[in-house]
Amino acid sequence: MLRFLARRIGAAALLCVGITLVSFILTQLVPGDPAAANLGQRAIADPAAVDAFRSKYGLDKPLPVQYLTYLGNVLRGNLGESQQSHRAVAQDLAEYVPATIELALFAIVLSLLVGVAFGVLAAITRDRWPDQVLRVVSLGGVSMPTFWVALVAFYLLFFKFGLLPGGGRLDPGMNAPPHVTGFYTVDAALAGQWDVCSSAALHLVLPSLVLAVYTVGMLMRFTRASMLEILGNDYVRAARAKGLPERVVIVRHVLRPALVAIITVAGVAFGSLLSGAVLVENIFSWPGLGQYAYRSAVNLDLPAIMGVSVVVAAVYIVMNLLVDLLYGVIDPRIRLT
Amino acid sequence: MTVTDPARVDLPVSTRRDRAAVRSPWRQPLAIVGAALVVLWVLVALLAPLLAPHGPLDQLAPKLQAPSGEYLFGTDELGRDVFSRVVYGSRISLPLACLLVVLATVLGAVVGTIAGFFGGWVDSILMRLADLVFAFPGIILAMAVAAALGPQLRNAVLAVVVVSWPSYARLVRGLVLSARNSEYVAASRLLGSSALRTMLVDLRPNIAGPVLVMAALDVGNAVLLLSGLSFLGLGAQPPAAEWGAMVAAGAANFDRWWIGLFPGLAILTVVLAFNFVGDTLRDALDPRTARAIRD
């Protein structure tokens, strides 16, 4: 188990280093000169100002040196300074990341509950009408452009009928709870501010519903497929033959082994939630990574782009690492490898 | 020497139910609906000038008109006919999605074949590269690439290719690995085929099927990613009639629901159509689910 752990963590760490390399190479592809993009018209004509800018950001050194400097900084938690906000990227991100993670966690729990339940239902009613209906539902879910669902949901549920709050994390005029985790629902509950907590939870509903549309479809399809695969096993027939109630057969003999596969996909699903957040946060004015990423990309704010992709990929890798470790809990055979 | 159809030689004895499972895709309503929708959209793209009452960029109509008999889908903030723009949008999204799936497939297949066939350090390097791409959630990397190359439709296509090739490379590598040790490959090598000939003549036909299914399923994803990038302003630039960009315009005028609703529906129906077809194909061809179908 320890060796398994060490190998997985080592692989994840290597991937993280690889990610910094990818984002570093990407920024080297940028055709625009960052000096030109960030200095005004007047300053760009002044060679001294350009040189000063270049040496301030280390742009005058050879590329491998620039990369190593960058990597060293990242390891020390220094992601550079955003050329737009003139603040440390790490500081910007610390503000935005919790908002997105809170949203994504809310959405993944929702998608797992709904997706697995519907997937099981589809598998046990295979080829009958509930399965057929659910198949269309799940294919519909993975076919909808998330940003469009966001727009339609925003229009109907907020603008037209006012059922749910529209944008932001809290009602206007409400102050953020004291910072502990950065998750407003948790922080407010810790501080005992129940009105803030319920407002934060209500604001989560609409964006996380929208985000879950895709992942529910994905998890539903996958749950159905892995349930069906396992249903074909002889031990399932044996369990039925010895007269176990169908409920027990499905939950203990089929769903439990199927969960191993489902958990893998949940890791991927979390990644698609992070992607979805980029598209959805703009519409719900959700002050998270998505909005920040978009603003930095448009402004070619190199350190910010690097920071965002590194952090998102790192979160994604950690999520998948957790998933790998969960295997060991669910499927004892894996511990041996 | 009697000539036997090589495709028939090693077919296992199949039961009637097996054959029904393989033949059925075209009898399933979902596949038919999907195929019909694909054909419909292709026709729309081909006949766009005949179907659309106005040009996609014409600013003739009164601004922000709700849908009516004259303007079926209403008009947008510049007084352009939304219906005409949706119709012309198919001429951007459909060919580009197909193009980038072809590019990603070819790139992935070449990389995967090389990795699987030669193994060793070539394999390690190529697959670690694929792992790196997988380490990013799709649109994050696509966004970074598109932003780095500059916001343009062409760069958005490239960005989606960069994100998409690794899944093909992995699939093809796995298929090549399992085929590499088969007897027909050994026989071919013994008869003096070069590595290239073995890959193209002996391996390719055995790999094409699953890759095509994956590509069919991927067209939908490609449309989603590409329109997503355009929605973010990193793909098609105004005034192009691209669906994702049109939804973005709808988001800017969200109280006029028709501006964003119809281009989004266009994306949805196209993606749904390809997913219907691809999903049915996968069910029929994937040995894992096929086993479940048979029992």
Side-chain angles (χ1 to χ4, degrees):
Chain A
M1 183 65 187
L2 264 181
R3 267 182 60 193
F4 168 76
L5 252 177
R7 215 173 44 206
R8 283 301 153 91
I9 292 176
L14 265 183
L15 262 187
C16 286
V17 173
I19 278 161
T20 60
L21 189 60
V22 170
S23 56
F24 179 78
I25 292 172
L26 273 181
T27 55
Q28 298 306 318
L29 293 176
V30 178
D33 181 351
N38 287 279
L39 294 172
Q41 275 298 330
R42 177 115 37 95
I44 198 73
D46 174 9
V50 173
D51 283 347
F53 180 86
R54 284 179 192 279
S55 68
K56 181 177 176 201
Y57 291 102
L59 297 173
D60 51 351
K61 306 229 173 62
L63 285 184
V65 178
Q66 282 190 40
Y67 172 64
L68 285 179
T69 319
Y70 169 64
L71 183 61
N73 284 334
V74 170
L75 290 178
R76 272 176 266 127
N78 174 5
L79 291 165
E81 182 184 293
S82 160
Q83 292 166 1
Q84 281 294 308
S85 68
H86 293 288
R87 300 194 326 162
V89 172
Q91 191 192 341
D92 277 350
L93 289 177
E95 224 168 81
Y96 292 112
V97 169
T100 297
I101 305 249
E102 185 180 29
L103 185 59
L105 283 179
F106 213 76
I108 193 101
V109 170
L110 194 72
S111 335
L112 275 172
L113 288 178
V114 179
V116 172
F118 279 1
V120 170
L121 179 64
I124 58 183
T125 61
R126 175 157 59 94
D127 292 342
R128 294 204 303 273
W129 68 265
D131 181 31
Q132 308 284 11
V133 171
L134 287 174
R135 181 173 192 179
V136 175
V137 169
S138 71
L139 282 173
V142 297
S143 302
M144 287 195 205
T146 314
F147 51 91
W148 176 74
V149 180
L151 184 59
V152 173
F154 186 81
Y155 179 81
L156 285 178
L157 298 177
F158 167 68
F159 183 74
K160 193 83 184 167
F161 299 112
L163 297 176
L164 289 165
R169 297 178 75 182
L170 292 171
D171 290 338
M174 208 172 248
N175 287 325
H179 183 94
V180 183
T181 58
F183 299 170
Y184 280 7
T185 43
V186 178
D187 287 355
L190 286 177
Q193 302 171 343
W194 298 109
D195 54 330
V196 178
C197 181
S198 74
S199 166
L202 266 180
H203 277 83
L204 273 168
V205 174
L206 195 50
S208 56
L209 271 180
V210 167
L211 279 178
V213 167
Y214 183 89
T215 37
V216 163
M218 177 173 155
L219 289 168
M220 212 195 284
R221 283 307 285 159
F222 201 82
T223 306
R224 178 185 180 272
S226 43
M227 291 276 294
L228 285 185
E229 201 187 329
I230 291 162
L231 273 171
N233 279 328
D234 285 341
Y235 71 81
V236 176
R237 188 170 302 171
R240 281 180 179 151
K242 72 183 182 191
L244 288 180
E246 187 64 15
R247 190 172 43 83
V248 177
V249 175
I250 293 296
V251 173
R252 281 216 207 127
H253 293 73
V254 183
L255 183 56
R256 192 177 153 133
L259 273 182
V260 176
I262 294 167
I263 292 282
T264 326
V265 185
V268 179
F270 192 80
S272 66
L273 286 176
L274 291 177
S275 308
V278 172
L279 296 166
V280 166
E281 283 182 359
N282 270 331
I283 289 184
F284 295 112
S285 30
W286 191 263
L289 262 185
Q291 268 198 350
Y292 186 68
Y294 174 55
R295 248 185 290 142
S296 338
V298 171
N299 294 316
L300 279 186
D301 185 349
L302 303 194
I305 298 173
M306 281 202 234
V308 170
S309 45
V310 167
V311 166
V312 170
V315 169
Y316 189 40
I317 288 173
V318 169
M319 228 32 216
N320 279 312
L321 181 67
L322 288 180
V323 159
D324 273 359
L325 300 182
L326 260 181
Y327 281 170
V329 179
I330 295 178
D331 187 347
R333 282 171 305 179
I334 292 178
R335 268 178 228 162
L336 302 174
T337 53
Chain B
M1 198 173 108
T2 40
V3 181
T4 14
D5 178 1
R8 299 194 64 110
V9 172
D10 42 23
L11 263 185
V13 185
S14 55
T15 63
R16 264 172 59 199
R17 288 181 94 181
D18 277 355
R19 265 182 272 134
V22 173
R23 235 185 245 161
S24 59
W26 304 110
R27 292 205 191 131
Q28 292 196 10
L30 278 193
I32 295 170
V33 171
L37 272 174
V38 171
V39 171
L40 189 74
W41 271 116
V42 170
L43 285 178
V44 168
L46 289 175
L47 305 176
L50 299 177
L51 292 171
H54 304 282
L57 308 179
D58 296 353
Q59 303 184 12
L60 303 164
K63 292 170 188 173
L64 299 170
Q65 286 280 301
S68 63
E70 200 184 349
Y71 306 110
L72 279 179
F73 293 173
T75 64
D76 68 6
E77 75 282 6
L78 294 176
R80 296 171 299 196
D81 179 35
V82 175
F83 177 73
S84 305
R85 285 173 68 75
V86 168
V87 167
Y88 272 98
S90 61
R91 293 194 148 192
I92 298 182
S93 298
L94 291 183
L96 283 185
C98 294
L99 172 73
L100 69 85
V101 167
V102 169
L103 287 178
T105 311
V106 171
L107 184 61
V110 169
V111 172
T113 311
I114 292 176
F117 197 84
F118 292 105
W121 61 268
V122 180
D123 183 27
S124 304
I125 290 182
L126 291 175
M127 286 304 111
R128 290 302 81 73
L129 204 63
D131 285 347
L132 261 185
V133 176
F134 275 120
F136 291 87
I139 204 155
I140 304 285
L141 183 58
M143 194 173 91
V145 174
L149 296 175
Q152 258 185 48
L153 194 52
R154 191 193 62 200
N155 294 340
V157 172
L158 285 179
V160 179
V161 172
V162 167
V163 175
S164 321
W165 69 268
S167 23
Y168 294 97
R170 264 196 193 170
L171 175 72
V172 170
R173 172 179 175 271
L175 293 168
V176 169
L177 275 184
S178 62
R180 190 173 62 167
N181 297 323
S182 62
E183 285 170 10
Y184 65 83
V185 169
S188 171
R189 293 308 296 267
L190 281 174
L191 286 171
S193 305
S194 66
L196 191 66
R197 188 187 153 83
T198 314
M199 282 189 251
L200 290 180
V201 177
D202 301 312
L203 290 178
R204 189 184 45 80
N206 291 294
I207 287 169
V211 173
L212 280 182
V213 174
M214 193 178 204
L217 273 169
D218 219 26
V219 176
N221 281 334
V223 173
L224 281 182
L225 266 176
L226 198 60
S227 57
L229 286 178
S230 292
F231 173 79
L232 291 174
L234 291 171
Q237 296 301 307
E242 200 278 343
W243 293 334
M246 291 169 71
V247 177
N253 301 280
F254 70 89
D255 52 334
R256 318 291 168 125
W257 53 270
W258 57 89
I259 301 179
L261 179 75
F262 294 110
L265 276 178
I267 303 175
L268 171 62
T269 48
V270 167
V271 178
L272 201 60
F274 279 104
N275 281 347
F276 276 174
V277 174
D279 194 64
T280 319
L281 276 179
R282 181 177 53 188
D283 256 13
L285 299 177
D286 182 352
R288 288 188 314 155
T289 22
R291 195 178 75 205
I293 289 172
R294 270 206 298 277
D295 72 80

